[in-house]
Amino acid sequence: MQLSELHTGERAVIAKVSGHGSFRKRLIEMGFIRGKAVRVVLNAPLKDPIEYEILGYKVSLRREEASKIEVISEEEAKIHIASEHADEALPAILDREIQDLAYERGHNIRVALVGNPNCGKTSLFNIASGSHEHVGNYSGVTVDAKEGKFEYKGYKITLVDLPGTYSLSAYSPEELYVRKNLLETPPDVVLNVVDASNIERNLYLTAQLIDMSMPVVMALNMYDELQSKGDKIDIEQLGYLLGMPVCPTVCRSSKGIPDLFDTVIEMYENHSPRVSRHIHINHGHELEQSIDRIKLLLQRDQDLRARYSTRYLAIKYLENDSNIAKIVEALPFADEVRSARDEEAARIQRLLGTNAEGAIVDAKYAFIQGALAETYTHAERPPKHTLTDKIDAIVTNKWLAFPIFIAILYLIFSATFTLGEYPMNWIDALVGWIGDLFASIMVDGWLKDLVVDGIIAGVGSVLVFLPNILILYFFISIMEDTGYMARTAFIVDKLMHHLGLHGKSFIPMVMGFGCNVPAIMATRTIESRKSRIITIALIPFMSCAGRLPIFVLLAGAFFPAHAALALLCVYCLGVVLAILSALVLKKAIKDDDLPFVMELPPYRIPTAKAIGRHTWEKGKQYLQKMATTILIASIVIWALGYYPKNDELPRSVQQEQSYLGHVGKAVAPALDPLGFDWRMDVGLITGVAAKELVVSSLGVMYAGEELEEADENDTALQSALKQTVPLPVAIAFMIFVLLYFPCIATFVAIKNETGRWSWAWGICLYTIAIAWIFAWIGKEICQMLF
């Protein structure tokens, strides 16, 4: 509980003191230290402030300030005392219990990871917490805060991996999210991860963290790259100038990680780690005069002083930050502060010849350059082209860039079929053997039909495509971790700009080949609202991994000699229709475009461990979906197709007259022009929940189909489809599956990221209409050609 919640006369022991730098320091100096007993003496007549007794003297705190101090009360301790001692809660037992709880609570540390994209922040998170978050060599991998917990030297550390951001301004949702997280739920320690190979750019974010007056420890990551270039840095002096301890680390090899968390604990315990002092970045006489004037006005509000660093608020308000302005406008004397801000902004413009925001940015970079001039030494070396330069000369060449990208996609799809064919057939044979085994040992009846035709046929029809899913994610992971994915955004930026999009839009679109949901969340890295919404609307056209089993199933059955080419054509059709849709949407959405600014990280050799872990995580998600969603759906689909039971009818007629058959026939009028039979209609309906269910549904409904002699390279379901579905209808079905209603999870993600149900429903209805039109066109063209 909080100290402010205690009643007059109650006693407690301090467990933790929160708040920003100067405020927290003042509380500690007053004696509010973990483990110390505190008693409420009395409340003021208006319930604020409150008088406390601590360390033998009395001190008053405002209720807002007291709310920043976490305590263990006697009542809390009594609850934790074992029941056998409930009637004998002696003062000694109670005191010991209070101290134990305070010690335990005080050994919980919340650490926020903050840093630029590509600085190794998520790698550090994975190493420290044991979590398996995806690590990619481009901006936008971490699109939400992720928490990992681990124990270290008696402390329980909660590590919060915040999205990568270049600054704490208000230009993108990511920047706002990180800033809001730090301000509204301040961590005990901020762990600022800095890329040592690109230190000047990274330190701008560090300078903003200094303004926020938070306890910061710097992890100078990729330190081996700095050393390999022969550069040198005086770490101790850099830490002194920045007012924070600096710990060199190499996350790829876990080097320096123990020392880093030792320093985090020292910072948390206020044990004066190697270098820790409270500093302010000097922005120059004129700016400091303006900052001080606004800060002094803001300090008149005691509640504001307790919640925020008033210096930080003054700097951001002087920069005309819209979100900070909302905080200031809520003050009773907001008019006075606004007037002072406007006067100071005009004065700075007159004296310095630039606006306040530009002047503050320049001052911060001047501070950074000064600090590096004293601490950083570049090795003498002749200018030469790096390996990254040599690779970029080829993969971003105006003539070679697009052919290389298309060739890479074709190779991925070819590998998906050729390498995946053998394990796919092995799994299919295993599923068939298991089905035959259960069919032979179980007594005829509904239970046998459920196990063989429902569970084994339904889940097994999806399980056979696990190798293809793993191969696709394996290659996507390589593209991401090497840094090539960022180059795709670079080479298509001009095309994207003509479509009303940003080059950054291409990365979420390519991520959509894996899964549409994280791809939609990754659009937060796009600063322009217009580009962000258009990108969200286009991502459902990107064929996700859930659709891959359907395409592998049909392409392998109907185009066995050219399956990879057929798959590439399907993916390209989705991209083409996304482009056409963008041309329409860019005229409907009005917003200012922002310039293309994106980091092109150096190429790095991905570790086998990282790629294997990423690939397996996706494979595990696929297996988990089969054990839950697909299993349950397969049972439901079987039951709807099994009842009402009529043993006198052939299986195909029985299914057609079942509840499932009625569902399929209910939507048949809308889909009959496309040539789909009722079983394909049912597959499309179930695919609304998850696209893998299309294959599962077909597997259940085609199970036990009497077939002519089948190709030995085909699965049982492929053989059934080849003998019952004409080629033009199969092509129409592939097109419809590619384009129609995204899954429920994607539908919710669209609503969450746009903030409107209207966008979610509009995109879904639009995709259904496009799917019907182009599926019909595909069928008609195929009938004319064949």
Side-chain angles (χ1 to χ4, degrees):
M1 65 186 303
Q2 309 305 320
L3 181 60
S4 58
E5 296 173 350
L6 291 178
H7 299 293
T8 300
E10 290 185 336
R11 188 172 67 94
V13 171
I14 296 171
K16 182 182 291 188
V17 179
S18 304
H20 57 83
S22 58
F23 170 77
R24 182 172 181 269
K25 183 179 179 182
R26 184 169 70 90
L27 289 178
I28 292 173
E29 289 173 346
M30 292 170 66
F32 290 91
I33 305 168
R34 193 179 75 228
K36 299 300 180 182
V38 59
R39 183 175 66 87
V40 183
V41 178
L42 56 87
N43 282 261
L46 298 179
K47 302 298 183 182
D48 208 2
I50 306 170
E51 184 178 345
Y52 298 97
E53 182 179 12
I54 187 168
L55 297 178
Y57 77 102
K58 295 181 175 64
V59 60
S60 66
L61 286 182
R62 289 181 178 271
R63 189 171 295 274
E64 178 67 30
E65 294 172 330
S67 69
K68 302 297 182 184
I69 301 174
E70 189 175 347
V71 298
I72 302 295
S73 68
E74 290 183 343
E75 291 301 318
E76 281 186 272
K78 287 177 182 178
I79 295 173
H80 286 81
I81 292 176
S83 58
E84 59 266 22
H85 296 295
D87 297 329
E88 49 172 339
L90 301 174
I93 297 175
L94 191 60
D95 285 345
R96 187 172 64 251
E97 185 68 24
I98 292 174
Q99 291 290 342
D100 289 346
L101 285 172
Y103 178 86
E104 180 182 341
R105 193 78 55 85
H107 276 59
N108 292 334
I109 311 176
R110 185 176 178 86
V111 180
L113 286 173
V114 179
N116 287 189
N118 307 315
C119 67
K121 183 170 52 62
T122 305
S123 295
L124 174 59
F125 176 81
N126 289 340
I127 292 168
S129 68
S131 182
H132 293 162
E133 293 303 330
H134 176 211
V135 180
N137 191 13
Y138 65 94
S139 172
V141 174
T142 309
V143 292
D144 210 338
K146 301 175 179 67
E147 289 193 2
K149 299 179 184 293
F150 67 101
E151 293 192 17
Y152 182 75
K153 294 188 175 181
Y155 289 84
K156 295 180 180 178
I157 298 177
T158 299
L159 210 55
V160 183
D161 184 18
L162 295 173
T165 180
Y166 293 107
S167 75
L168 297 176
S169 302
Y171 293 119
S172 74
E174 280 191 328
E175 292 175 348
L176 287 172
Y177 182 87
V178 174
R179 190 171 75 181
K180 183 178 180 181
N181 194 290
L182 293 176
L183 288 176
E184 297 187 3
T185 56
D188 297 311
V189 179
V190 175
L191 191 47
N192 179 209
V193 186
V194 170
D195 180 358
S197 64
N198 202 349
I199 190 167
E200 183 174 353
R201 202 270 325 279
N202 280 237
L203 286 182
Y204 182 73
L205 178 60
T206 307
Q208 292 185 313
L209 290 173
I210 292 173
D211 288 339
M212 298 180 82
S213 297
M214 290 186 169
V216 182
V217 174
M218 180 186 292
L220 191 59
N221 196 32
M222 304 181 196
Y223 192 68
D224 56 334
E225 293 189 14
L226 180 146
Q227 291 177 315
S228 66
K229 294 188 292 186
D231 294 350
K232 296 180 181 179
I233 189 166
D234 186 338
I235 290 176
E236 186 173 344
Q237 179 66 9
L238 178 65
Y240 177 78
L241 294 174
L242 297 177
M244 65 184 68
V246 178
C247 303
T249 60
V250 182
C251 286
R252 283 177 294 180
S253 61
S254 301
K255 186 177 179 180
I257 304 301
D259 179 58
L260 176 66
F261 283 100
D262 286 342
T263 308
V264 167
I265 292 172
E266 290 176 6
M267 175 68 77
Y268 171 72
E269 293 289 6
N270 204 38
H271 285 169
S272 297
R274 288 183 297 258
V275 180
S276 179
R277 63 193 186 101
H278 186 66
I279 72 163
H280 289 320
I281 294 175
N282 191 325
H283 295 84
H285 174 72
E286 301 301 338
L287 280 171
E288 288 297 329
Q289 181 178 324
S290 299
I291 292 169
D292 285 344
R293 180 184 175 188
I294 298 172
K295 182 183 72 172
L296 290 172
L297 288 172
L298 295 176
Q299 286 178 347
R300 286 161 49 183
D301 189 288
Q302 294 297 328
D303 291 343
L304 196 69
R305 292 183 66 179
R307 294 201 309 271
Y308 307 109
S309 162
T310 50
R311 176 177 171 85
Y312 173 74
L313 294 183
I315 292 171
K316 300 308 292 182
Y317 193 52
L318 189 59
E319 290 180 333
N320 205 27
D321 185 290
S322 59
N323 287 78
I324 298 301
K326 293 177 183 177
I327 297 174
V328 176
E329 295 299 326
L331 298 174
F333 48 89
D335 291 342
E336 186 178 351
V337 183
R338 189 189 316 112
S339 176
R341 190 272 312 273
D342 293 342
E343 289 175 9
E344 293 303 320
R347 189 178 67 85
I348 290 169
Q349 180 73 47
R350 185 175 66 255
L351 294 176
L352 303 182
T354 184
N355 60 28
E357 183 178 9
I360 290 172
V361 171
D362 291 343
K364 281 185 168 55
Y365 272 110
F367 168 78
I368 293 167
Q369 290 164 3
L372 292 179
E374 291 190 38
T375 59
Y376 197 97
T377 306
H378 289 278
E380 293 290 337
R381 55 182 179 271
K384 63 177 182 179
H385 289 293
T386 64
L387 178 61
T388 293
D389 294 331
K390 294 175 182 177
I391 297 175
D392 277 344
I394 299 171
V395 301
T396 63
N397 180 277
K398 66 176 181 178
W399 302 112
L400 299 176
F402 288 102
I404 288 174
F405 179 60
I406 293 172
I408 288 173
L409 290 181
Y410 180 75
L411 288 174
I412 291 174
F413 296 143
S414 294
T416 300
F417 277 100
T418 56
L419 298 179
E421 181 179 358
Y422 299 103
M424 186 177 75
N425 288 334
W426 297 337
I427 295 174
D428 183 57
L430 177 63
V431 170
W433 179 81
I434 294 173
D436 293 340
L437 175 64
F438 276 87
S440 64
I441 63 175
M442 294 184 72
V443 180
D444 288 345
W446 69 268
L447 183 59
K448 174 183 175 180
D449 291 342
L450 168 61
V451 172
V452 176
D453 296 336
I455 297 174
I456 296 176
V459 176
S461 60
V462 179
L463 179 63
V464 297
F465 299 105
L466 176 61
N468 307 93
I469 297 292
L470 293 177
I471 291 169
L472 177 66
Y473 273 115
F474 173 78
F475 284 107
I476 289 179
S477 179
I478 290 177
M479 290 174 65
E480 292 172 342
D481 291 1
T482 56
Y484 178 70
M485 192 72 85
R487 270 68 186 178
T488 62
F490 175 76
I491 64 178
V492 301
D493 178 62
K494 188 172 183 179
L495 173 62
M496 292 284 122
H497 185 69
H498 287 309
L499 301 176
L501 293 172
H502 194 281
K504 285 185 180 179
S505 298
F506 196 67
I507 289 179
M509 289 170 70
V510 175
M511 287 177 67
F513 291 152
C515 180
N516 286 174
V517 175
I520 288 171
M521 295 173 67
T523 59
R524 296 177 190 174
T525 61
I526 303 169
E527 294 87 352
S528 166
R529 176 183 173 275
K530 175 180 179 180
S531 292
R532 189 162 61 249
I533 291 180
I534 294 177
T535 306
I536 289 171
L538 304 186
I539 285 173
F541 289 115
M542 304 297 107
S543 181
C544 65
R547 297 179 177 107
L548 183 62
I550 309 166
F551 299 145
V552 172
L553 173 76
L554 296 171
F558 292 91
F559 306 97
H562 305 287
L565 181 60
L567 190 57
L568 179 62
C569 290
V570 169
Y571 276 65
C572 288
L573 176 62
V575 174
V576 169
L577 291 177
I579 290 172
L580 295 176
S581 299
L583 292 172
V584 175
L585 289 172
K586 79 170 186 176
K587 296 179 179 179
I589 303 174
K590 303 298 182 183
D591 197 14
D592 293 333
D593 288 327
L594 293 175
F596 176 73
V597 180
M598 182 177 176
E599 180 184 5
L600 292 180
Y603 289 101
R604 294 191 172 100
I605 299 175
T607 63
K609 181 180 179 181
I611 292 177
R613 185 169 59 189
H614 178 212
T615 304
W616 170 239
E617 285 297 316
K618 296 301 180 182
K620 187 169 69 173
Q621 291 175 13
Y622 190 70
L623 290 173
Q624 288 171 342
K625 185 179 285 188
M626 280 190 290
T628 53
T629 305
I630 294 171
L631 174 61
I632 295 170
S634 295
I635 294 173
V636 172
I637 292 166
W638 172 86
L640 292 174
Y642 192 79
Y643 295 104
K645 182 65 173 171
N646 189 337
D647 293 327
E648 297 180 0
L649 297 175
R651 186 177 187 281
S652 58
V653 178
Q654 148 71 25
Q655 274 198 332
E656 192 169 352
Q657 294 185 1
S658 67
Y659 298 126
L660 198 63
H662 290 305
V663 172
K665 289 179 178 179
V667 299
L671 297 174
D672 278 348
L674 305 179
F676 304 159
D677 67 14
W678 69 270
R679 288 178 290 193
M680 299 169 78
D681 296 343
V682 170
L684 294 174
I685 293 172
T686 59
V688 168
K691 290 296 177 281
E692 294 91 343
L693 290 176
V694 175
V695 174
S696 178
S697 302
L698 296 177
V700 171
M701 291 182 290
Y702 281 94
E705 186 82 13
E706 294 183 5
L707 303 175
E708 302 171 8
E709 186 176 347
D711 190 322
E712 61 180 9
N713 293 323
D714 288 339
T715 65
L717 182 54
Q718 284 178 322
S719 298
L721 291 171
K722 283 175 70 172
Q723 296 180 26
T724 56
V725 178
L727 175 61
V729 174
I731 290 175
F733 194 71
M734 291 174 72
I735 295 173
F736 198 91
V737 168
L738 168 71
L739 303 174
Y740 88 115
F741 189 101
C743 67
I744 292 296
T746 303
F747 175 77
V748 174
I750 293 171
K751 182 267 173 186
N752 289 341
E753 295 305 315
T754 60
R756 296 182 182 179
W757 283 112
S758 57
W759 272 110
W761 282 112
I763 290 171
C764 291
L765 294 174
Y766 175 72
T767 57
I768 291 172
I770 292 295
W772 196 98
I773 293 168
F774 280 89
W776 182 82
I777 292 173
K779 178 178 77 77
E780 294 298 314
I781 292 175
C782 187
Q783 285 177 336
M784 288 189 292
L785 294 177
F786 304 102

